[in-house]
Amino acid sequence: MTASDRTDRAAPPRLGRATLHRLPHECRPAVDPDALRTRVVHFGLGAFHRAHQAVWTEQAAARSGEPWGITAVAPRSPAAAGALREQDLLYSFTERRPDGAATRVVAALTGALVMTEDAARVDALLADPEVTVVTLTVTEKGYHRLAGRDPREGSVLDRAAPAIAADLERTAAGAGAGIGGRGRGGIGSPVGRLSTVVGRLAAGLAARMRSGAAPLTVVSCDNMADNGAVLGAAVRDFIAASGWPDRRTVLDRMATAVAFPGTVVDRIVPATTDTDLARAAMALGQRDTAAVTGEPYRSWVLEDSFAAPRPPWELDGALFVPDTTPYQLTKLRLLNGCHSALAYLGSATGRTTVAEALDTDWGAPLVRGLCAELAPTLPPGGPDPVAYAAELVTRFRNPAMDHQLRQIATDGSLKLPERWLPALRTLRAAGTPTPLLEVALAGWVYATRPDRQAADPAAEILADCWRAHPEPTGTVRALLTALGAADLADDTALTGAVAARLPALQSGRIEL
C-alpha cells in the first residue's frame, strides 16, 4: 500500500467535478453540470431549496434536455456559498426512506453568490434576459410583512422595520448614480449595500425594467398564505417608497412584465447533522460538506400564471393549477399547523423529534383530531382532509427522519398568525368548539415562558407578557395581543380554556 493509498483511505476526496467519475453509478447526477446555464436565480441557499426546488429543476432539465441551471444567492451566509463553490456547486441529497436511504449528487446549481458581497453580479443576473425565473425560500420573516396585512387591502411592507428603513435610505442616497440611477451599483455604492431580499430584488427588477429586458416570473416558495401576492406587494411597496426618481415608470412596466404566482411547497427537510455528513461520505466515497437530507414525500403546486418561459417542472410531478389557495391553506393549516402543535406539546413532554411525538398515546390522535377540527375552515377544491391527515401520520412516523421539534418551534410569533389564528377566528365566530386548537395554543403559551423559549424575533416581547401578567389568563391575553390577535385576546371563553390547560402541561401531561 502506497502513502497515497493510505491518505485516500484516511481522508476521502472532496466532492467535485473532477471526482464525479469515481461516484457509484446510482449516486451520479441526473444532468451534466457543464450543459447547464443560469436561467433561474434563487434567493435562499438553505437546505430546503437544495432538497426541493433544485432537485425539481435538475429533473426538469434532464427530462427536457433544456439547460435550466440555478444561480443561488445566500442572503447572509458566505459560508454556505463558499462550501458549494469549493465543491464546484455539487452537493448530495439523501432520501430518508423507512427501509433505508438513497443518496445521489445534485448538479442543478450553476452559481452560488452572497447577496451583499456579490450585489453587482446579482443585479446583472436579474437584468439578464436569459434569466426568466426567480425563486425564493427566505422564511416568513424575510418578507418584512406588516402583521396580518392582506395584500389585497393595501401595503404589506413594514417600512419602519430597521433593515427595510435602512435599505430605503440607501435608495435615496443612490438615486442619482449606481443601480438606483442609470449606472452600475457595486458593493461600495449605497444600493450595492442593500441588506434585505425585498430591497435587493426590487433593485434588480428596477434595473430589468429600465433595460427593457424580457418579462420575468418571481416565485415565492415560502410557507405563507397568498405567498405570491404578499411578495409582489412587498416589492412594489419598496419601489414606491424608494428614492428612485423613475419609480412610477418602473412600477408601470412591472404591471405587465413581472408575475408573482402563488405556490405550495412540501417536503420535510431536517437540519443536516454530523451523522448525515458521515452517511453521505460513506455512500459517495467522497466528502460533502453541503449534503442535505429529506423525506421521500414531496409536492409542489404552482399557480399557472407565468410571464416568461419556465422549467417544465410538471415532467417530474409538479402540479399547475388556476388557484393554489385550497392547497395552500390545507398545507398551512393541516401540515404546518400540526407540526407546530407537535413541536410545542412534544417539547413540553420531553420529546425531541416529530417521530418521538408520534410514538405516544396522544400524537396520532392529535394530528387526526386537529385536522378534523380545522377541515371546515378549508375551501373546496383541495386535498381530502381525512386522507391528508392519514398521510401526515405516516410521514410523521417515518423512523428514518430526525426532524427536531426545536427547529419547528422557532419563530412561533410569525408562524402561528398564519397556521392557527385565521382558522381559530373562523371556528369561534361560527360557534364551533375548538378543543384541540386550545390544547395546541396552550402548548405555545407554555413554550414562551422566559426559561423555555425557542428562538423567536419577538422573544423579549413574549417574555415581558409573562413578567407583566403572571396570572395565567392574563398571560394568555397578553400573548395573543402580542401576536396581533386582540380580538381573540378579548374572547374570555378562549383565554380561560387555554389557561386551564397549562397546569397539565407543567406536569408533562397532554390531555386531548
Side-chain angles (χ1 to χ4, degrees):
M1 180 183 294
T2 67
S4 175
D5 290 334
R6 286 193 296 272
T7 300
D8 286 346
R9 178 171 289 186
R14 184 151 185 169
L15 178 64
R17 294 193 185 191
T19 59
L20 279 178
H21 69 283
R22 298 172 62 175
L23 290 170
H25 182 75
E26 67 275 10
C27 296
R28 294 179 184 177
V31 295
D32 176 1
D34 291 326
L36 303 180
R37 302 195 305 271
T38 296
R39 299 183 66 181
V40 178
V41 171
H42 179 80
F43 285 91
L45 198 44
F48 184 80
H49 167 66
R50 284 179 279 145
H52 192 275
Q53 299 91 33
V55 171
W56 236 294
T57 303
E58 183 199 44
Q59 289 296 313
R63 297 183 185 203
S64 68
E66 300 170 2
W68 289 100
I70 304 168
T71 287
V73 181
R76 289 174 299 277
S77 174
L84 283 162
R85 288 196 293 258
E86 288 177 6
Q87 297 182 175
D88 300 325
L89 306 170
L90 301 172
Y91 66 92
S92 66
F93 171 70
T94 297
E95 191 174 275
R96 296 187 184 185
R97 302 169 181 170
D99 57 349
T103 300
R104 74 172 186 86
V105 171
V106 179
L109 300 182
T110 48
L113 305 176
V114 181
M115 191 174 72
T116 50
E117 294 177 10
D118 301 310
R121 294 174 64 188
V122 173
D123 288 330
L125 284 171
L126 292 175
D128 185 345
E130 191 165 55
V131 172
T132 58
V133 177
V134 175
T135 54
L136 296 89
T137 49
V138 295
T139 75
E140 297 94 328
K141 59 188 173 189
Y143 293 76
H144 297 279
R145 181 184 183 180
L146 288 165
R149 187 63 60 88
D150 188 328
R152 292 174 291 269
E153 297 176 357
S155 298
V156 304
L157 184 66
D158 184 0
R159 300 177 190 178
I164 291 292
D167 274 2
L168 288 172
E169 286 185 17
R170 292 178 182 117
T171 67
I179 206 72
R182 293 292 188 263
R184 267 288 171 219
I187 189 171
S189 71
V191 178
R193 296 192 300 272
L194 292 172
S195 66
T196 66
V197 171
V198 170
R200 182 83 271 142
L201 180 57
L205 292 178
R208 190 179 182 99
M209 296 302 99
R210 294 183 187 111
S211 71
L216 182 76
T217 304
V218 185
V219 184
S220 168
C221 300
D222 285 298
N223 286 319
M224 292 189 302
D226 298 318
N227 56 4
V230 169
L231 175 59
V235 170
R236 288 188 291 268
D237 289 346
F238 186 95
I239 294 171
S242 73
W244 299 323
D246 60 346
R247 54 189 177 274
R248 179 47 54 192
T249 301
V250 167
L251 288 169
D252 289 344
R253 291 178 182 171
M254 280 179 57
T256 56
V258 183
F260 295 89
T263 69
V264 186
V265 297
D266 193 1
R267 179 171 232 169
I268 297 172
V269 180
T272 302
T273 66
D274 290 340
T275 301
D276 294 325
L277 297 178
R279 287 173 178 164
M282 183 175 296
L284 302 173
Q286 301 178 31
R287 288 181 296 122
D288 176 12
T289 62
V292 293
T293 72
E295 65 172 334
Y297 178 92
R298 62 185 177 130
S299 172
W300 197 1
V301 183
L302 303 99
E303 181 184 355
D304 195 5
S305 61
F306 282 63
R310 59 166 178 79
W313 291 310
E314 66 272 21
L315 296 180
D316 198 33
L319 182 63
F320 287 83
V321 298
D323 181 13
T324 60
T325 302
Y327 299 88
Q328 196 171 63
L329 290 180
T330 298
K331 198 250 177 166
L332 274 170
R333 294 183 182 178
L334 302 195
L335 185 146
N336 297 132
C338 286
H339 251 168
S340 289
L342 289 169
Y344 299 121
L345 296 173
S347 296
T349 59
R351 273 68 182 184
T352 60
T353 68
V354 173
E356 287 177 5
L358 260 288
D359 190 26
T360 61
D361 59 357
W362 55 266
L366 172 71
V367 172
R368 292 193 178 95
L370 189 55
C371 287
E373 190 167 295
L374 292 164
T377 72
L378 300 174
D384 174 65
V386 175
Y388 194 90
E391 188 171 53
L392 287 183
V393 170
T394 300
R395 292 170 65 188
F396 292 169
R397 273 185 171 149
N398 183 347
M401 298 298 289
D402 188 33
H403 203 182
Q404 297 291 310
L405 297 178
R406 66 174 180 272
Q407 179 187 2
I408 301 167
T410 61
D411 300 339
S413 67
L414 298 177
K415 294 174 179 175
L416 300 195
E418 291 277 353
R419 299 180 180 188
W420 294 349
L421 302 192
L424 189 58
R425 289 186 175 99
T426 298
L427 294 170
R428 304 292 295 183
T432 304
T434 55
L436 294 182
L437 278 169
E438 291 161 14
V439 173
L441 195 54
W444 172 75
V445 168
Y446 184 62
T448 63
R449 290 174 54 181
D451 60 328
R452 294 187 59 89
Q453 264 195 45
D456 195 296
E460 274 306 307
I461 295 172
L462 302 178
D464 285 342
C465 293
W466 282 89
R467 288 189 281 262
H469 304 277
E471 188 271 323
T473 303
T475 303
V476 174
R477 294 191 65 212
L479 288 167
L480 285 170
T481 302
L483 289 185
D487 56 326
L488 295 175
D490 288 338
D491 183 338
T492 55
L494 172 65
T495 56
V498 172
R501 302 278 189 175
L502 293 175
L505 289 176
Q506 290 167 349
S507 300
R509 303 193 317 276
I510 304 300
E511 297 178 349
L512 302 185

